[in-house]
Amino acid sequence: MDSLRDAPILLQSRDNVALACMDAGHLAFANESFNVVVCIQNGISAFHVDRLLLMREALRVTVPDGRVLFSSYAESFWDERLKWFELQSTLGLLGPIDYARTGAGEIYCTDGFHASTVGPAEFESLMAQLGINGSLVEVDRSSLFCQIVR
């Protein structure tokens, strides 16, 4: 919410930007409103909403032949990602890492914080449940992108 509150200051010279705060699983946009819908920086996990619902909602607001792009962390990025969370914990921004529960793309902290990822198999499963096809591409050994053409 702080980012949304502070954004008008950063965007004051732009007249083609609109800001909105809403539930990612129940977007307040009409059907087929956008040519491209982007949910990156592991938003598919970070929003903490049902992933299938999130994908369905992104597709709903995308025009036919439009593109939807999701990203998550690549499995090969695990060591760097865990180090980043360890730093956040050291700085007191998160509780201590619960190493007994942490692994396989899931990071747990003793204060209840939980961060996850969506891997290739889960993206494939989500697309299959929606009856759609898409492509998965790992970029720079850090991000996994799922692109869907509606």
Side-chain angles (χ1 to χ4, degrees), residues 5-86:
R5 185 195 68 232
D6 296 340
I9 297 164
L10 299 170
L11 300 170
Q12 62 189 352
S13 64
R14 309 235 186 234
D15 60 2
N16 63 346
V17 176
L19 302 172
C21 180
M22 63 187 73
D23 179 344
H26 300 92
L27 298 172
F29 299 113
N31 293 349
E32 302 178 359
S33 295
F34 300 98
N35 294 318
V36 178
V37 173
V38 179
C39 182
I40 58 173
Q41 288 299 106
N42 200 35
I44 192 165
S45 296
F47 288 145
H48 299 288
V49 298
D50 179 274
R51 294 170 181 171
L52 189 62
L53 176 66
L54 181 67
M55 289 182 82
R56 185 177 288 120
E57 195 62 359
L59 289 162
R60 179 187 69 77
V61 300
T62 304
V63 300
D65 295 322
R67 298 186 187 281
V68 178
L69 184 66
F70 294 96
S71 76
S72 193
Y73 292 102
E75 293 171 6
S76 57
F77 194 64
W78 173 253
D79 291 339
E80 291 85 352
R81 187 167 171 255
L82 181 57
K83 286 177 191 173
W84 186 84
F85 277 99
E86 288 170 334

Side-chain angles (χ1 to χ4, degrees), residues 75-127:
E75 293 171 6
S76 57
F77 194 64
W78 173 253
D79 291 339
E80 291 85 352
R81 187 167 171 255
L82 181 57
K83 286 177 191 173
W84 186 84
F85 277 99
E86 288 170 334
L87 175 61
Q88 301 308 301
S89 177
T90 299
L91 295 172
L93 301 171
L94 299 171
I97 304 291
D98 181 347
Y99 289 100
R101 297 178 65 201
T102 293
E106 307 283 327
I107 296 174
Y108 292 89
C109 295
T110 59
D111 64 357
F113 177 83
H114 172 232
S116 62
T117 58
V118 177
E122 186 174 0
F123 271 126
E124 292 288 352
S125 173
L126 289 164
M127 288 187 290

